[in-house]
Amino acid sequence: MVKPLELVRKNILALQPYSTARDEFKGGDINVWLDANESPYNNGVNRYPDPHQHSLKEKISRLKGVGVENIFVGGAGSDEAIDLTFRIFCEPGVDNAVSIAPSYGVYRVAAAINDIELREVMLTPDFMLPVSELLQAADAHTKLMWICSPNNPTGNAFALAEIETLADSFGGMVVVDEAYVDFSEKGSLLSVLHQHPNLIILQTFSKAWGMAGLRVGMAFASQEIAEIYARVKYPYNLNGPTQMEVMRRMEENISDKVAEIVSEAKSLAETLGRFPFVEKVYPTDANFLLVKVDNADALYDYLLSNGVIVRNRSRVAGCEECLRFTIGTPDENARVINLLNQYPI
């Protein structure tokens, strides 16, 4: 069985994290705060926020059914956790990571920033998970394996059993990015997190929860790895107003909105498939559709000239001549269909 702490860089294990003023506070009836060189004039944001996001983590714990001790909360959506994962496990210029391709581009960017080789393994032509090829791509210096499921930009989720097989067979950490999991019927790996000590699961409030502007993401891992994330992160990585706003918005019931997006995705996929210039609409478990068309650049420019922007993925290997359509409101989706009905073939 993989022992995650043995994969952590030695300097990270030895790191003494910065201790904030509030880390040293053990409780008591304090009403004069003179410890952190803050402004004493209350304007709502003059005090430093909770560096460990205790209240937010407790709320996330109840929502996700995962222990507080297994949660890392980061800013910049999931991107902070992605960057920290490379920094925690990979020795620059020495270690490497394996990723599926095509997939989320930040894995490649974060690897390059940290001077880590990223070995990309292409999905099958129908975007299925190449389990054996991923394992074959790893060597003694492979510390991480990145699996985005549901995958961006292909939209499909992989079988949970296949990802568990990777976790059981790989000698490093398997990082599963579940940013779109709320839209998928295949479910999350959170329920088996405790069975795989080398599993890290990323989720975000940016998609189904509609908080992209707040930039809050989560990493779920074993307690020992969650503690490493807390050690490496910058002290106040999530500001106070954001913590409060996320907790407030977590009280909302998003099930109706998620259901409408899933329904709209099915309807839009069926309609798009009828256009003669659409070659294929790929199945999706996310809030977007990958669509292969006759001339992606021309259709992209046509939509853009009519006030609609989609994502042109045609230059991504494996997604040639493909556009990615995020699912909008029913009115927005209807507008897209109306424009496509007028598209000059």
Side-chain angles (χ1 to χ4, degrees):
M1 179 178 289
V2 177
K3 297 181 179 180
L5 286 184
E6 294 181 357
L7 299 170
V8 175
R9 292 168 57 193
K10 298 299 184 289
N11 66 303
I12 299 297
L13 282 176
L15 177 69
Q16 293 298 317
Y18 175 78
S19 177
T20 72
R22 303 296 137 82
D23 286 327
E24 299 163 3
F25 173 59
K26 302 302 181 182
D29 186 14
I30 305 296
N31 50 46
V32 177
W33 299 86
L34 304 178
D35 60 318
N37 300 337
E38 304 152 319
S39 169
Y41 305 108
N42 184 15
N43 62 6
V45 291
N46 60 305
R47 299 297 182 188
Y48 285 108
D50 174 8
H52 303 294
Q53 309 104 20
H54 288 102
S55 295
L56 179 55
K57 284 181 180 177
E58 288 174 3
K59 207 170 186 68
I60 293 171
S61 174
R62 293 192 295 271
L63 176 70
K64 301 292 184 179
V66 176
V68 171
E69 68 277 6
N70 301 113
I71 301 171
F72 165 76
V73 180
S78 297
D79 295 345
E80 181 182 1
I82 291 170
D83 178 63
L84 289 183
T85 303
F86 278 109
R87 283 198 263 165
I88 289 168
F89 293 102
C90 296
E91 194 70 45
V94 176
D95 292 324
N96 65 76
V98 171
S99 173
I100 60 172
S103 196
Y104 184 37
V106 169
Y107 310 143
R108 185 187 304 115
V109 173
I113 290 171
N114 288 283
D115 192 21
I116 305 300
E117 176 193 1
L118 187 68
R119 300 177 176 181
E120 297 181 320
V121 178
M122 293 299 295
L123 299 173
T124 67
D126 55 352
F127 299 144
M128 293 296 102
L129 196 63
V131 174
S132 60
E133 288 85 350
L134 286 165
L135 293 172
Q136 289 169 10
D139 62 20
H141 289 286
T142 307
K143 295 293 184 66
L144 303 173
M145 186 173 292
W146 295 90
I147 307 294
C148 185
S149 181
N151 187 38
N152 178 16
T154 63
N156 59 312
F158 306 115
L160 300 185
E162 288 186 314
I163 302 176
E164 287 194 79
T165 296
L166 284 173
D168 291 338
S169 305
F170 177 50
M173 303 298 295
V174 175
V175 190
V176 185
D177 189 342
E178 293 187 341
Y180 302 94
V181 72
D182 297 289
F183 305 102
S184 175
E185 295 181 352
K186 290 189 173 68
S188 169
L189 283 162
L190 282 180
S191 62
V192 297
L193 178 65
H194 64 286
Q195 299 177 20
H196 305 282
N198 63 329
L199 188 62
I200 298 171
I201 299 171
L202 308 183
Q203 291 190 7
T204 180
F205 285 110
S206 295
K207 309 302 180 183
W209 284 92
M211 302 188 213
L214 293 178
R215 312 304 298 123
V216 179
M218 299 155 280
F220 303 93
S222 66
Q223 181 176 354
E224 58 187 3
I225 294 303
E227 289 174 351
I228 297 292
Y229 277 105
R231 185 185 305 179
V232 175
K233 78 174 184 69
Y234 285 105
Y236 303 105
N237 64 322
L238 199 64
N239 67 69
T242 294
Q243 292 184 42
M244 297 300 295
E245 183 66 6
V246 172
M247 287 190 286
R248 184 186 71 81
R249 290 177 178 270
M250 285 175 69
E251 297 293 332
E252 300 175 7
N253 188 335
I254 63 169
S255 58
D256 288 346
K257 292 178 181 177
V258 170
E260 181 171 80
I261 289 172
V262 170
S263 176
E264 284 289 306
K266 292 178 181 177
S267 176
L268 187 60
E270 292 175 2
T271 305
L272 289 173
R274 300 190 191 109
F275 288 104
F277 50 84
V278 171
E279 292 187 20
K280 184 170 184 178
V281 180
Y282 290 94
T284 188
D285 295 285
N287 67 332
F288 59 85
L289 295 169
L290 188 69
V291 183
K292 187 171 186 178
V293 299
D294 289 344
N295 188 329
D297 288 344
L299 184 55
Y300 175 82
D301 289 341
Y302 168 75
L303 290 171
L304 195 63
S305 68
N306 284 278
V308 174
I309 185 168
V310 297
R311 191 75 188 272
N312 191 341
R313 301 278 74 189
S314 60
R315 290 164 184 78
V316 175
C319 297
E320 292 77 8
E321 299 299 342
C322 286
L323 300 178
R324 193 190 68 193
F325 290 74
T326 301
I327 307 303
T329 65
D331 287 345
E332 290 171 332
N333 300 330
R335 181 181 174 191
V336 170
I337 294 301
N338 183 54
L339 285 173
L340 295 179
N341 279 322
Q342 303 173 55
Y343 181 56
I345 301 175

